[in-house]
Amino acid sequence: MPGIFEPLTGGGAAVALDEVEISIIRSLAVQLLELIGPGPAENAPDDPLAELFAEGPSEPPSDPVLQRLFPDAYGGPDAESGPPEQAEERRAYSSEFRRFTENDLRAGKRETALTVIRSLDALSPGGDGGAVLELSREQSEEWLRALNDLRLAIGSRLEVADEEDTDLLYRLPDEDPRKPMVMAYLWLGGLQESLVSTLMT
């Protein structure tokens, strides 16, 4: 069935995508790559050990999308509650954790987005421009992570904080300028849900 992942023998998943769907997913994955930014290797010295032990940023990113993709480890609704010294301590822990983990997290998200782009680029479109995407189990798990990242990014731009916000999106009028982004958000959610179901069978 078009737009719905189905299981493959051996544990993978397959989905039929038309030309427009392929273009949308690829474009979103490229935009995600650009948002995450280049990896440490882009400006790292020739010594691979120096890159391995390179420290990342200690402050949260300013972009709301990147804040959603790379949240504080000790954040959450109660992060600023309690005595000031406890809030300060949590901020210090978050800063230290971010410094040693964000580079790796960014590298992982870049690789996940690249997996999506490469698998789409490897498709052989039919006469109508569509194709059947077949993924191994490992690729399916990468796609699942990528779909989640894309939905987090779009949801952040749409200021989706909870299920109630999602319900409101369904009722937006067609003339609302957010409508195309909303349709992509909901469609990716359906793809993600079908892939989760497929991998659980």
Side-chain angles (χ1 to χ4, degrees), residues 1 9 38 41 43 49 73 89 115 119-120 145 158 187-188 193 195:
M1 182 183 301
T9 304
N43 301 310
L49 283 177
E89 187 177 42
T115 295
S119 55
L120 292 175
R145 287 191 285 273
L158 292 170
W187 171 59
L188 290 173
E193 188 175 332
L195 185 51

Side-chain angles (χ1 to χ4, degrees), residues 78-99:
D78 300 324
E80 298 299 321
S81 64
E85 60 272 14
Q86 287 184 356
E88 183 62 36
E89 187 177 42
R90 281 193 288 266
R91 281 194 293 272
Y93 287 152
S94 288
S95 176
E96 191 76 355
F97 186 83
R98 183 179 296 278
R99 191 158 61 96

Side-chain angles (χ1 to χ4, degrees), residues 25-164:
I25 297 173
R26 191 185 190 285
S27 175
L28 290 172
V30 168
Q31 290 177 54
L32 184 64
L33 272 177
E34 292 172 351
L35 183 65
I36 292 171
E42 298 291 330
N43 301 310
D46 293 334
D47 182 1
L49 283 177
E51 180 182 337
L52 181 64
F53 292 106
E55 293 182 3
S58 59
E59 295 299 319
S62 58
D63 189 299
V65 173
L66 292 175
Q67 288 176 19
R68 183 77 69 91
L69 292 172
F70 305 103
D72 275 338
Y74 298 91
D78 300 324
E80 298 299 321
S81 64
E85 60 272 14
Q86 287 184 356
E88 183 62 36
E89 187 177 42
R90 281 193 288 266
R91 281 194 293 272
Y93 287 152
S94 288
S95 176
E96 191 76 355
F97 186 83
R98 183 179 296 278
R99 191 158 61 96
F100 291 108
T101 60
E102 187 166 312
N103 281 346
D104 285 343
L105 291 173
R106 284 180 181 255
K109 290 186 185 298
R110 275 191 296 273
E111 191 56 40
T112 297
L114 282 170
T115 295
V116 169
I117 294 167
R118 289 173 185 141
S119 55
L120 292 175
D121 287 348
L123 290 176
S124 300
D128 61 354
V132 175
L133 175 69
E134 295 189 354
L135 304 171
S136 66
R137 176 79 190 197
E138 182 178 332
Q139 290 173 320
S140 297
E141 291 170 355
E142 289 281 305
W143 262 74
L144 193 56
R145 287 191 285 273
L147 289 171
N148 186 61
D149 286 343
L150 291 174
R151 290 194 78 239
L152 283 174
I154 296 173
S156 179
R157 289 289 187 242
L158 292 170
E159 299 181 346
V160 174
D162 52 38
E163 196 62 37
E164 187 175 316

